[in-house]
Amino acid sequence: MTLTLNAPLDMHLHLREGDMLRLVAPFSAAQFSGGVIMPNLQQPVDSLPRLRAYRDAVVQACGVESFTPYMTLFFRAYSREELLAVRDEIIGIKLYPAGITTRSEAGVSDFDRINDTVALLEELDIPLLVHGESHGFVMEREQEFLAVYQRLAETFPRLRMVMEHITTTESVAFLNQYQQVAATVTLHHLMITLDDVAGGLLQPDLFCKPIAKTPRDREALRQAVFSGHPRLMFGSDSAPHPRHAKECVGCAAGIFSAPVALPALAGLFAEAGCLDRLNAFVSDHARLFYRLPPGETKTILEPDPWKVPERYGSVRPFLAGQTLSWRLQG
Ligand code: DOR
Ligand code: ZN
């Protein structure tokens, strides 16, 4: 029995630049019909010329026409003219609290001063994608940030907002209160808890932001995803770093899951007895929220065990060395 997915999407993806971009992009292009490309490059993608140059580099690195890069701009104070000029070329604007994660230094340091730009996003119907963490205690950052989400959702009731890579029970509950809010969920947050990261020998490959949480949180995420919550969509947050940046003092945050994304998800959904819901999680929910047309490509998976390599170039992938029971066909 094979599994056919209709134009699956990765709604949160870091592809980087240069050699790293050329190494990692083909893994996403081989599985997905499109992806939401994060703008946290060395120099943030925060202008139309930079956006166009980056999109061209992504298209070239993918090497196929079947993958659509849905571009994002890095949040800053934008004028109406700037937003009007870029609106048709982006899927949304990505907001990072300053310094909260990899290459987010240029992010927002004062949330009381973002209203003018957010009001424009609401008016122009441009989705706001948010890395929702405070600078508090690492396990409580996401929960503390819910106050910001709430203020935004109530001040801007027509704003389409995405809570990126949610990890907690409280975030799932929050999502249920606001119809105009959606969330992405990663593969790794469905699989691991803090114990996998730091409960035994430290595992730099599993260190990411937001940090993996408790078994109870993981269960809440699983329940919401496996029950088919219509405003939960897959976003891998695949975020490659070379080994020397992971296996060192000051390990970079990020898990490189792109090569295993759909095979591992198929395994999880099959184990939970809801393989029939995978297509909605990786395609329909995102298309509905972002108003994307139905895609035409098909991705076929087959039950055929394979061992995940220890390395792809300079990067160690998520689930390295483990055997997955679903394989990408072709
Ligand atoms: O772990 C992470 N890595 N979380 C993020 O939010 C950013 C990402 C990266 O760019 O490496
Ligand atoms: Zn990310």
Side-chain angles (χ1 to χ4, degrees):
M1 185 202 68
T2 61
L3 173 66
T4 301
L5 299 171
N6 298 314
L9 298 166
D10 182 344
M11 301 310 287
H12 185 131
L13 179 61
H14 297 269
L15 289 179
R16 315 300 194 204
E17 299 163 87
D19 287 346
M20 186 62 95
L21 168 63
R22 286 185 283 277
L23 171 71
V24 302
F27 293 107
S28 297
Q31 293 172 67
F32 294 95
S33 79
V36 173
I37 312 302
M38 290 296 133
N40 62 330
L41 306 185
Q42 207 89 37
Q43 272 222 341
V45 181
D46 65 353
S47 68
L48 187 50
R50 208 167 276 155
L51 181 101
R52 286 181 174 158
Y54 189 38
R55 185 182 51 214
D56 291 349
V58 167
V59 167
Q60 204 180 10
C62 287
V64 289
E65 279 174 18
S66 55
F67 183 86
T68 305
Y70 296 103
M71 306 304 290
T72 59
L73 270 191
F74 196 100
F75 187 97
R76 61 171 169 80
Y78 288 103
S79 67
R80 175 189 299 272
E81 291 65 38
E82 284 177 304
L83 291 175
L84 281 171
V86 79
R87 179 162 67 160
D88 293 342
E89 301 189 37
I90 58 172
I91 195 163
I93 303 250
K94 175 70 189 285
L95 186 157
Y96 291 92
I100 201 69
T101 187
T102 308
R103 296 194 193 117
S104 60
E105 293 75 15
V108 170
S109 40
D110 185 353
F111 278 88
D112 290 335
R113 295 174 59 179
I114 63 171
N115 274 14
D116 291 354
T117 303
V118 177
L120 286 170
L121 299 183
E122 181 186 45
E123 181 199 325
L124 300 175
D125 199 17
I126 298 172
L128 177 66
L129 287 55
V130 183
H131 183 119
E133 289 194 287
S134 72
H135 284 90
F137 175 60
V138 71
M139 289 294 278
E140 289 164 8
R141 289 178 185 178
E142 187 170 313
Q143 197 174 340
E144 284 179 3
F145 195 85
L146 290 180
V148 179
Y149 278 131
Q150 182 166 12
R151 183 177 72 72
L152 290 171
E154 291 187 354
T155 313
F156 305 102
R158 287 175 298 114
L159 174 72
R160 279 184 292 155
M161 187 161 61
V162 182
M163 304 164 76
E164 295 294 338
H165 41 55
I166 60 168
T167 63
T168 67
T169 312
E170 292 77 13
S171 289
V172 174
F174 180 90
L175 182 68
N176 290 327
Q177 297 174 42
Y178 297 97
Q179 292 297 317
Q180 76 277 27
V181 179
T184 55
V185 179
T186 71
L187 167 67
H188 48 275
H189 292 120
L190 288 171
M191 293 189 75
I192 64 171
T193 69
L194 186 59
D195 251 6
D196 297 292
V197 187
L201 295 178
L202 188 66
Q203 302 299 321
D205 296 335
L206 304 182
F207 175 62
C208 64
K209 299 290 177 67
I211 194 115
K213 303 290 188 313
T214 67
R216 173 173 167 265
D217 290 310
R218 180 180 59 181
E219 193 49 38
L221 277 189
R222 287 181 174 176
Q223 276 198 10
V225 166
F226 295 152
S227 69
H229 192 302
R231 278 176 287 112
L232 287 179
M233 20 189 209
F234 177 61
S236 70
D237 200 11
S238 178
H241 292 277
R243 272 186 65 195
H244 67 78
K246 295 290 282 177
E247 300 173 17
C248 61
V249 176
C251 163
I255 295 180
F256 177 47
S257 59
V260 299
L262 288 178
L265 277 176
L268 281 185
F269 276 68
E271 240 174 71
C274 58
L275 208 44
D276 56 326
R277 297 209 169 123
L278 179 57
N279 197 78
F281 181 55
V282 298
S283 187
D284 305 343
H285 297 170
R287 288 181 193 283
L288 194 65
F289 183 81
Y290 278 108
R291 303 179 193 145
L292 302 173
E296 269 151 32
T297 65
K298 306 266 181 232
T299 298
I300 301 175
L301 297 160
E302 53 195 8
D304 180 16
W306 62 289
K307 194 168 159 200
V308 181
E310 294 290 337
R311 303 255 180 290
Y312 289 106
S314 60
V315 194
R316 189 171 151 83
F318 185 48
L319 306 178
Q322 297 190 31
T323 299
L324 301 185
S325 45
W326 290 83
R327 178 197 293 269
L328 199 65
Q329 199 178 69

